[in-house]
Amino acid sequence: MKSVLLIGMGKFGRALGQRLLDMGDQVMIIDKNEEIINELSSTYAEAIIANCTKLQTLSMVDVPSFDVCIVAIGDDFQSSLETTSILKELGAKRVISKASTEIQKKFLLKNGADEVIYPTDDLAEKIAIKINSYNVDDFIELNSDYGIFKIATPENWVNKSVMDINPRKKFDVNILTIEKPDRKVVFPDAKYVFKSGDKMWVCGHTDKIIRFANNVK
């Protein structure tokens, strides 16, 4: 379970917030629209009506206590930029901010964002998965239960073969592709030996792969 501060409850913010709740996270939401907060307040651990472009406002929230802060403000880039900067100033561990253009992305990164996202139909699902997984670099949803994940090869797999590890039997993980710095190995056979820096694209049940990714070393 992660603790998440979610600022901006437009269409994308709502989709992301609901997915985070579905995954068991504790989510505090903030929006300047009183009607929106009143509508959603019973769903979240805490809901606040506030303008987050004010340092004094966000100072009342224990920003460093959250695992991640997400700026999902949709239609006011200046507010998004200021909020991002203030969160970092207050000691946010990780700030993810929403952008609409490459220029916005550059400004957000320069002003404190650790990661910048471009909203798409499936992005809420991807962000929720990444927030709740330590080792997942990317994710493709196949349906509500299954997906394809890009994961760093565990350290204790290095210099061992697929046969030695037997990931399908031990972890219920199916390896589709190994990404190496210079090439890709599609459907590696049992003799393939894992190397440091390998990235695996694996397929399986979403909950099982997240559990696997969070526990292997």
Side-chain angles (χ1 to χ4, degrees):
M1 182 183 76
K2 299 289 185 177
S3 58
V4 181
L5 176 61
L6 178 55
I7 301 172
M9 296 305 295
K11 181 180 178 181
F12 173 70
R14 291 186 187 216
L16 176 56
Q18 186 57 57
R19 189 65 186 100
L20 292 170
L21 291 177
D22 291 343
M23 299 187 74
D25 295 324
Q26 187 165 4
V27 184
M28 175 191 287
I29 63 170
I30 303 179
D31 196 285
K32 64 182 181 181
N33 188 307
E34 181 177 357
E35 184 177 341
I36 289 175
I37 292 299
N38 288 338
E39 177 188 346
L40 299 175
S41 60
S42 62
T43 305
Y44 291 87
E46 193 167 354
I48 298 175
I49 304 166
N51 182 346
C52 291
T53 62
K54 307 294 183 183
L55 177 62
Q56 183 178 3
T57 299
L58 280 177
S59 295
M60 295 187 293
V61 179
D62 187 9
V63 170
S65 69
F66 292 93
D67 294 311
V68 60
C69 299
I70 302 172
V71 183
I73 298 171
D75 56 356
D76 186 347
F77 178 66
Q78 183 65 31
S79 294
S80 179
L81 191 64
E82 292 176 7
T83 301
T84 297
S85 179
I86 292 170
L87 286 169
K88 211 60 180 180
E89 183 179 343
L90 291 174
K93 295 174 185 174
R94 181 183 176 195
V95 180
I96 300 174
S97 300
K98 183 165 76 74
S100 300
T101 67
E102 189 66 25
I103 292 175
Q104 288 183 359
K105 177 180 179 179
K106 290 179 180 178
F107 275 106
L108 287 166
L109 289 172
K110 287 182 178 180
N111 283 271
D114 297 295
E115 183 177 349
V116 175
I117 54 177
Y118 295 101
T120 60
D121 291 341
D122 64 343
L123 186 61
E125 175 76 10
K126 288 187 176 183
I127 294 301
I129 292 290
K130 289 182 71 174
I131 287 172
N132 285 276
S133 307
Y134 294 105
N135 298 314
V136 173
D137 293 337
D138 203 353
F139 163 71
I140 300 170
E141 183 182 18
L142 298 178
N143 58 34
S144 59
D145 295 319
Y146 288 84
I148 300 172
F149 299 76
K150 184 179 181 181
I151 302 174
T153 297
E155 292 178 8
N156 60 1
W157 290 19
V158 173
N159 295 326
K160 295 180 181 178
S161 70
V162 173
M163 183 184 299
D164 293 332
I165 302 297
N166 200 352
R168 179 180 294 179
K169 182 176 180 180
K170 291 183 180 178
F171 305 104
D172 204 11
V173 168
N174 298 291
I175 301 176
L176 303 180
T177 302
I178 303 290
E179 280 193 11
K180 306 179 75 65
D182 58 342
R183 62 191 175 95
K184 294 182 180 180
V185 180
V186 181
F187 299 122
D189 61 28
K191 296 180 181 180
Y192 178 84
V193 176
F194 296 100
K195 298 298 181 183
S196 179
D198 283 356
K199 298 282 188 177
M200 305 185 295
W201 282 96
V202 302
C203 179
H205 193 283
T206 296
D207 291 342
K208 289 183 179 180
I209 292 187
I210 290 176
R211 188 160 53 248
F212 162 76
N214 286 343
N215 285 286
V216 296
K217 298 186 182 295

